[in-house]
């Protein structure tokens, strides 16, 4: 049997047998944050597809929203002899200890989608252009606003996720001039309103705002926060509303809350991840846009970077991201805004999701 067939066979074995697989077989360990969100199941599925031809053996483990379990997952993979760790942290700072342990064992560490913070143990960052995701939200909402005094509601992801800051930064840099000139009035964050004249916020200033508007990446929190915000304002803050929705799961939950408020006549809401349920919401006119972050590309980038490291080379970089300790090399992947208008070409014709998953296309 050729060595490549043996390796491919071991990928299959590992993916099906999981921890029963032989210790020495695993070259690349992949750690994802949770199975409970469709986004990370997308990554698992796309990894499994791509790994069939990757030419190395790999194992995928989930941390289930628990940094302690994440660390144990990393230790398990180290004990199986991995050469490269691909890790999407549950909590950016807590994951530093897991990265440090991998580094100490001679393993190359690739931060995947989310940046691990405050450690020098990260060799590479595989990511989308997350600032552009936020900018796409801002641009979309600005394109729908007319005149002055439009009602703006901001929401953000979990403060433990570095991406939440990058998404917010992108959105803020687009929207802030339009808050300053009165096009928008921020209705659910007095902190954001207080920085109306400042385009470039410090991390601490961003943190103060995110503290008020976070959904914690949890759709239940998102729904309750939207409901509480709507209860706290009068009808003058409703009518037509513009909502920075931070990801598809939370955006659908908030869209439902805004939709049932009798004083909300029209709402525009953003999202990201091109989840199947949100594509259906866009078709049905219940969510305005999503951002396609083509996970197939991210997975291929991660695999290419892992192969570079295994071959003793260095993956391509076009920029660096500072993680609080060091500048981490990266080559961010572009994103695509998806609305009702381009949904067919961006999602169906690109082969991202098949047409049979949707009704009313
Ligand atoms: C990812 C998003 C995801 C969110 C919640 C972010 O770090 O980039 O795609 O929706 O986490 O899991």
């Amino acid at each position: 049997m050729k060595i490549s067939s043996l390796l491919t066979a071991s990928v299959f074995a590992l993916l099906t047998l999981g921890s029963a697989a032989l210790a020495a077989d695993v070259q690349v360990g992949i750690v994802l944050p949770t199975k409970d969100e469709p986004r990370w199941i997308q990554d698992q599925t796309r990894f499994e597809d791509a790994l069939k031809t990757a030419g190395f053996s790999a194992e995928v483990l989930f941390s289930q929203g628990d940094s302690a379990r994440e660390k144990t997952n990393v230790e398990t993979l180290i004990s199986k002899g991995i050469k490269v760790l691909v890790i999407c942290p549950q909590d950016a700072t807590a994951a530093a200890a897991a990265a440090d342990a991998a580094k100490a064992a001679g393993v190359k560490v690739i931060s995947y989608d989310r940046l691990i913070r405050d450690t020098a143990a990260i060799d590479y960052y595989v990511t989308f252009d997350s600032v552009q995701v936020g900018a796409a939200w801002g641009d979309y909402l600005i394109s729908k606003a007319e005149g002055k005094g439009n009602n703006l509601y901001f929401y953000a992801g979990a403060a433990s996720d570095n991406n939440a800051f990058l998404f917010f930064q992108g959105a803020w840099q687009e929207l802030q001039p339009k808050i300053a000139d009165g096009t928008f009035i921020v209705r659910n964050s007095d902190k954001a309103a207080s920085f109306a004249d400042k385009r470039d916020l410090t991390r601490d200033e961003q943190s103060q705002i995110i503290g008020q508007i976070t959904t914690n990446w949890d759709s239940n929190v998102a729904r309750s926060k939207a409901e509480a915000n709507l209860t706290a304002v009068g009808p003058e803050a409703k009518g037509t509303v513009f909502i920075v929705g931070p990801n598809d799961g939370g955006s659908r939950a908030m869209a439902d809350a805004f939709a049932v408020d009798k004083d909300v006549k029209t709402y525009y809401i953003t999202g990201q991840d091109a989840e199947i349920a949100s594509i259906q919401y866009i078709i049905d006119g219940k969510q305005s846009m999503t951002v396609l972050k083509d996970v197939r590309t991210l997975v291929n980038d991660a695999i290419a970077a892992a192969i570079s490291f295994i071959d003793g080379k260095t993956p391509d970089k076009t920029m660096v991201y500072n993680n609080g300790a060091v500048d981490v090399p990266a080559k961010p992947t572009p994103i695509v805004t998806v609305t009702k208008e381009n949904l067919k070409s961006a999602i169906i014709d690109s082969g991202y999701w098949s047409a049979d998953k949707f009704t009313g296309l």
Side-chain angles (χ1 to χ4, degrees), residues 140-148 150 178 183-184 242 268:
Y140 178 83
L141 295 177
I142 290 167
S143 78
K144 297 295 171 191
E146 284 172 14
K148 301 282 181 194
N150 295 284
K178 298 287 179 188
T183 304
F184 291 106
F242 297 79
Y268 296 96

Side-chain angles (χ1 to χ4, degrees), residues 142 147-150 174-185 196-197:
I142 290 167
K148 301 282 181 194
N150 295 284
E174 297 305 307
L175 288 164
Q176 175 275 328
K178 298 287 179 188
I179 299 168
D181 77 7
T183 304
F184 291 106
I185 303 174
D197 292 324

Side-chain angles (χ1 to χ4, degrees), residues 88-107:
C88 180
Q90 165 54 32
D91 174 304
T93 307
D100 291 347
K103 191 76 181 170
V107 172

Side-chain angles (χ1 to χ4, degrees), residues 213-283:
I213 60 171
T214 181
T215 65
N216 211 23
W217 293 138
D218 179 331
S219 46
N220 293 322
V221 175
R223 183 181 291 101
S224 336
K225 191 155 270 190
E227 286 166 355
N229 291 158
L230 284 164
T231 306
V233 296
E236 75 289 352
K238 299 182 183 176
T240 299
V241 299
F242 297 79
I243 310 159
V244 178
N247 73 339
D248 283 350
S251 298
R252 291 193 304 278
M254 291 189 291
D256 292 347
F258 277 85
V260 298
D261 188 291
K262 68 176 183 2
D263 294 318
V264 172
K265 305 298 177 213
T266 308
Y267 64 85
Y268 296 96
I269 186 164
T270 65
Q272 68 167 313
D273 294 336
E275 286 183 10
I276 293 168
S278 278
I279 298 299
Q280 187 63 54
Y281 258 47
I282 293 174
I283 296 169

